[in-house]
Short mmCIF file of all heavy atoms in Angstrom, two decimals:
data_model
loop_
_atom_site.label_atom_id
_atom_site.label_comp_id
_atom_site.label_asym_id
_atom_site.label_seq_id
_atom_site.Cartn_x
_atom_site.Cartn_y
_atom_site.Cartn_z
N HIS J 189 247.02 68.07 73.97
CA HIS J 189 246.28 67.62 72.79
C HIS J 189 246.95 66.25 72.29
O HIS J 189 248.03 66.22 71.89
CB HIS J 189 246.27 68.69 71.68
CG HIS J 189 245.77 70.01 72.10
ND1 HIS J 189 244.36 70.10 72.54
CD2 HIS J 189 246.26 71.17 72.12
CE1 HIS J 189 244.17 71.35 72.74
NE2 HIS J 189 245.27 72.04 72.64
N ASN J 190 246.01 65.21 72.28
CA ASN J 190 246.45 63.95 71.77
C ASN J 190 246.36 63.85 70.30
O ASN J 190 245.48 64.48 69.61
CB ASN J 190 245.53 62.88 72.40
CG ASN J 190 245.90 62.55 73.76
OD1 ASN J 190 246.76 61.62 73.98
ND2 ASN J 190 245.38 63.22 74.74
N PHE J 191 247.29 63.05 69.66
CA PHE J 191 247.14 62.66 68.28
C PHE J 191 247.74 61.21 68.24
O PHE J 191 248.13 60.65 69.23
CB PHE J 191 248.06 63.57 67.53
CG PHE J 191 249.48 63.75 67.80
CD1 PHE J 191 250.46 62.83 67.36
CD2 PHE J 191 249.88 64.83 68.72
CE1 PHE J 191 251.77 62.99 67.77
CE2 PHE J 191 251.19 64.96 69.09
CZ PHE J 191 252.20 64.04 68.57
N GLU J 192 247.65 60.59 67.02
CA GLU J 192 248.05 59.17 66.90
C GLU J 192 249.50 59.02 67.37
O GLU J 192 250.40 59.66 66.72
CB GLU J 192 247.82 58.78 65.45
CG GLU J 192 248.05 57.33 65.24
CD GLU J 192 247.89 56.88 63.84
OE1 GLU J 192 247.38 57.77 63.04
OE2 GLU J 192 248.18 55.76 63.43
N ASP J 193 249.75 58.16 68.25
CA ASP J 193 251.06 57.84 68.72
C ASP J 193 251.82 59.10 69.27
O ASP J 193 253.02 59.24 69.14
CB ASP J 193 251.92 57.21 67.60
CG ASP J 193 251.42 55.84 67.22
OD1 ASP J 193 250.96 55.14 68.15
OD2 ASP J 193 251.53 55.44 66.10
N GLY J 194 251.12 59.96 69.99
CA GLY J 194 251.78 61.08 70.57
C GLY J 194 250.77 62.05 71.25
O GLY J 194 249.56 61.91 71.24
N TYR J 195 251.37 63.12 71.82
CA TYR J 195 250.61 64.16 72.48
C TYR J 195 251.48 65.45 72.48
O TYR J 195 252.67 65.42 72.47
CB TYR J 195 250.14 63.85 73.83
CG TYR J 195 251.19 63.13 74.72
CD1 TYR J 195 252.08 63.94 75.41
CD2 TYR J 195 251.32 61.76 74.78
CE1 TYR J 195 253.05 63.31 76.28
CE2 TYR J 195 252.33 61.21 75.54
CZ TYR J 195 253.14 61.89 76.29
OH TYR J 195 254.10 61.35 77.16
N CYS J 196 250.77 66.59 72.53
CA CYS J 196 251.41 67.90 72.38
C CYS J 196 250.90 68.85 73.52
O CYS J 196 249.69 68.91 73.83
CB CYS J 196 251.01 68.55 71.05
SG CYS J 196 251.61 70.24 70.88
N GLY J 197 251.87 69.40 74.23
CA GLY J 197 251.57 70.36 75.30
C GLY J 197 251.80 71.83 74.78
O GLY J 197 252.79 72.15 74.06
N ILE J 198 250.93 72.78 75.19
CA ILE J 198 250.99 74.15 74.86
C ILE J 198 250.65 74.94 76.05
O ILE J 198 249.66 74.75 76.77
CB ILE J 198 249.93 74.44 73.72
CG1 ILE J 198 250.14 73.58 72.54
CG2 ILE J 198 250.11 75.98 73.34
CD1 ILE J 198 248.93 73.53 71.67
N SER J 199 251.56 75.91 76.36
CA SER J 199 251.37 76.83 77.48
C SER J 199 252.06 78.08 77.27
O SER J 199 253.09 78.16 76.54
CB SER J 199 251.80 76.21 78.77
OG SER J 199 253.15 75.74 78.77
N ARG J 200 251.55 79.19 77.86
CA ARG J 200 252.10 80.55 77.70
C ARG J 200 253.42 80.70 78.50
O ARG J 200 253.57 80.13 79.56
CB ARG J 200 251.12 81.56 78.19
CG ARG J 200 251.50 82.98 78.20
CD ARG J 200 251.35 83.54 76.73
NE ARG J 200 251.47 85.01 76.72
CZ ARG J 200 250.45 85.83 76.74
NH1 ARG J 200 249.21 85.44 76.68
NH2 ARG J 200 250.65 87.12 76.68
N ILE J 201 254.29 81.41 77.90
CA ILE J 201 255.64 81.80 78.55
C ILE J 201 255.78 83.23 78.44
O ILE J 201 254.81 84.03 78.18
CB ILE J 201 256.73 81.09 77.97
CG1 ILE J 201 256.92 81.25 76.48
CG2 ILE J 201 256.73 79.55 78.30
CD1 ILE J 201 258.20 80.74 75.83
#
Side-chain angles (χ1 to χ4, degrees):
H189 298 300
N190 279 270
F191 54 86
E192 184 180 356
D193 291 328
Y195 44 87
C196 176
I198 305 162
S199 57
R200 181 77 170 261
I201 56 173

